[in-house]
Amino acid sequence: MKKALVLLLCLITIISSVFAQGAKEEVDTNQPITLEFWTHEDDARQALEERYIAEFQELHPNVTVNVTRQSAEKLRELVQTAFAAGEGPSFFNLPIENEFQYIEAGRVAPADYETLGFKDAKDLLNAYADGMIDAVYYDGDIYGLPLETTNWSIFLNKKVFRDAGLDPEKDYPKTWEDMVEVSKKIIIRDGDIIQRRGFDFRYSYELTYFVPMVEQLGGALSESEGCVNKDAWVKALTFMQNWGPQGENLGNPTLTAARKLFNKDNNDIAMCNTGLYQEARILSDNPNFYNSGEWMVVPYPVFENAVKDVAGCYYAHFYMVNADASAAEQKMAWELIKYMLLTPGHAEEYLTNVGLIQPTKALLESDTYASMPYSDVFKNDFARAHITYYGKGATAIQSAINSAIKQVMLQGADPAAAYDALQKNVMEILAD
């Protein structure tokens, strides 16, 4: 009798707990809700998203959406500071190498599959191309949806090539050694002051452009061993030193970013390293240049003695929801993310209006994607690429690599010594 009573009390407790839990899951989304949405600047995307947000607020008049837009680097700092103070936004996006730490720390909420229209994590994974959202799949849950998944190839101005006596269709660089020789023919200087460059790198994005160069030479960046294969890293750092003012003086981190100059078509840059989104920006900034047929996209180069054919890494910006936001705020944040990204036709608009790839199977197999200029180049480079390093200390490691590159390029540091200091720094970051 006593045992039966105890069992009955346990059963009542379990049932009460289940009902209480069910009650907690009932979220009132009809109350006034304010969503703080933080994102990086992009004029073309802003125009599109302002329309989406206005439409969403018409459907949900109780929801107010406050948007904060910052430069990519400023946004990274802003999000980090806000979360440290316990005042993060309702939802936000950053590159995965800057975001993954928030997943590991439990600061962002797993996807609300029901709100998004999926059965579970497996169903959501299946909607995207293989591997494209694996970076946010953690302990059996998905923690974000991709605003964009981007790889970089080489944009080329045909007029600048011809002005230097080169045939853009035949003489575009296939190797990094070609890039040096072609740039030496294109460059114009006034003394040591560069007035026209053949090409220059995306300094401060070393995980995306430089680590693949190291990998081509047999090196790697490892979460457990740091900068693997000293010889490969030293060769890559030596190449950068030779590129800069201590060597051939073809470019350096102090100059205006090549990507920012390219669209102007002012005969001051021949090539830049950027993504498919650049096409929409050319069209917006300089329609005459876009429609002239005087630009093209070519594959990411490799070293002549490469031991591995690796293109530039692809990276992704994921929308993530603050785990500390109220249940109603979280639910409506996922509702808005769903409206922006998953409404039929929106992925196509992001692609054609902004040049951003949301890697659903449906989009990548669509005629819309196939019809984008040079989409085949990007598709082939995707096949040669992998996602950028986003593990332990990714942000700090990228900064450390950037410092090593600046030391060899601008200060004349010995590449081997720069590697030793870099490896020590990276191992300390990984151990912290």
Side-chain angles (χ1 to χ4, degrees):
M1 182 74 176
K2 210 168 184 180
K3 281 185 179 179
L5 183 59
V6 170
L7 286 171
L8 181 61
L9 288 171
C10 288
L11 184 60
I12 291 169
T13 301
I14 291 169
I15 293 170
S16 299
S17 174
V18 169
F19 276 109
Q21 188 176 4
K24 286 181 182 177
E25 290 175 354
E26 290 296 325
V27 179
D28 178 13
T29 56
N30 294 315
Q31 62 182 296
I33 297 171
T34 298
L35 298 179
E36 298 293 339
F37 168 33
W38 292 4
T39 187
H40 62 285
E41 295 169 334
D42 183 327
D43 290 342
R45 181 167 57 83
Q46 180 174 341
L48 192 62
E49 289 178 346
E50 284 177 350
R51 172 162 64 84
Y52 292 163
I53 290 170
E55 292 169 355
F56 181 82
Q57 289 181 126
E58 284 185 18
L59 296 171
H60 303 276
N62 62 306
V63 178
T64 300
V65 183
N66 297 325
V67 185
T68 297
R69 300 182 188 276
Q70 297 284 351
S71 68
E73 291 189 10
K74 180 67 176 175
L75 182 66
R76 182 183 69 200
E77 296 169 3
L78 185 65
V79 170
Q80 187 173 22
T81 301
F83 269 101
E87 299 174 352
S90 308
F91 72 107
F92 65 99
N93 76 78
L94 288 172
I96 186 58
E97 63 267 26
N98 305 137
E99 281 185 307
F100 189 73
Q101 59 182 311
Y102 299 108
I103 299 177
E104 286 190 307
R107 304 306 301 273
V108 292
D112 183 338
Y113 305 111
E114 183 180 358
T115 295
L116 292 171
F118 296 95
K119 295 177 184 176
D120 50 27
K122 184 178 179 181
D123 191 29
L124 177 52
L125 280 170
N126 192 52
Y128 287 85
D130 291 345
M132 287 291 111
I133 61 171
D134 285 359
V136 292
Y137 184 55
Y138 185 78
D139 282 351
D141 265 314
I142 294 171
Y143 285 83
L145 286 191
L147 164 64
E148 59 173 297
T149 301
T150 302
N151 66 330
W152 292 345
S153 297
I154 307 297
F155 278 68
L156 182 153
N157 186 314
K158 298 179 184 179
K159 289 188 289 183
V160 178
F161 261 63
R162 288 196 296 270
D163 188 62
L166 298 167
D167 182 339
E169 303 290 343
K170 297 179 181 178
D171 297 328
Y172 71 84
K174 286 79 172 176
T175 68
W176 289 116
E177 290 82 0
D178 288 345
M179 186 68 81
V180 171
E181 295 307 313
V182 167
S183 293
K184 284 163 66 174
K185 294 175 181 177
I186 292 172
I187 198 161
I188 295 175
R189 303 185 192 88
D190 182 4
D192 290 334
I193 305 301
I194 297 174
Q195 296 179 324
R196 183 175 80 180
R197 283 172 283 173
F199 171 80
D200 217 349
F201 295 90
R202 295 284 293 272
Y203 303 103
S204 80
Y205 293 92
E206 281 70 27
L207 295 178
T208 306
Y209 83 85
F210 185 71
V211 171
M213 296 170 70
V214 173
E215 291 174 339
Q216 291 173 5
L217 296 169
L221 176 60
S222 163
E223 197 175 61
S224 58
E225 301 177 62
C227 303
V228 179
N229 188 340
K230 178 175 179 176
D231 184 56
W233 283 85
V234 171
K235 284 179 180 177
L237 287 169
T238 301
F239 178 88
M240 298 304 292
Q241 184 172 69
N242 185 58
W243 182 267
Q246 303 290 328
E248 298 289 351
N249 192 23
L250 300 173
N252 71 73
T254 70
L255 302 175
T256 302
R259 179 184 63 79
K260 293 183 178 180
L261 297 176
F262 187 83
N263 298 1
K264 297 177 182 178
D265 185 29
N266 281 338
N267 196 36
D268 50 10
I269 192 74
M271 292 172 285
C272 68
N273 197 9
T274 188
L276 185 64
Y277 58 79
Q278 194 75 19
E279 295 181 4
R281 294 181 181 182
I282 298 172
L283 179 60
S284 174
D285 295 344
N286 193 345
N288 290 335
F289 182 42
Y290 180 88
N291 293 313
S292 68
E294 292 289 4
W295 60 275
M296 59 190 286
V297 182
V298 299
Y300 195 83
V302 296
F303 285 103
E304 286 178 0
N305 60 343
V307 298
K308 193 174 182 181
D309 182 13
V310 184
C313 289
Y314 60 86
Y315 59 89
H317 287 245
F318 289 90
Y319 281 133
M320 294 186 179
V321 173
N322 190 341
D324 291 332
S326 70
E329 200 177 331
Q330 288 187 35
K331 188 173 182 63
M332 292 312 294
W334 286 116
E335 283 280 9
L336 178 51
I337 292 168
K338 174 186 178 183
Y339 186 81
M340 291 195 293
L341 303 185
L342 300 178
T343 298
H346 283 193
E348 286 79 6
E349 284 193 305
Y350 272 108
L351 179 61
T352 55
N353 294 12
V354 194
L356 298 186
I357 301 169
Q358 292 163 8
T360 61
K361 291 177 180 176
L363 181 68
L364 294 180
E365 294 167 3
S366 70
D367 292 338
T368 304
Y369 181 74
S371 66
M372 294 292 292
Y374 300 103
S375 63
D376 58 328
V377 176
F378 287 100
K379 184 176 182 179
N380 291 337
D381 273 359
F382 254 129
R384 302 163 52 217
H386 60 79
I387 196 164
T388 186
Y389 175 85
Y390 60 87
K392 292 179 183 177
T395 301
I397 290 172
Q398 179 156 260
S399 179
I401 298 172
N402 176 264
S403 294
I405 288 172
K406 287 179 178 176
Q407 287 166 16
V408 299
M409 290 187 77
L410 304 178
Q411 300 167 23
D414 174 61
Y419 166 82
D420 290 339
L422 171 63
Q423 173 66 343
K424 180 182 177 183
N425 194 355
V426 168
M427 293 307 293
E428 288 173 353
I429 291 168
L430 292 171
D432 186 359

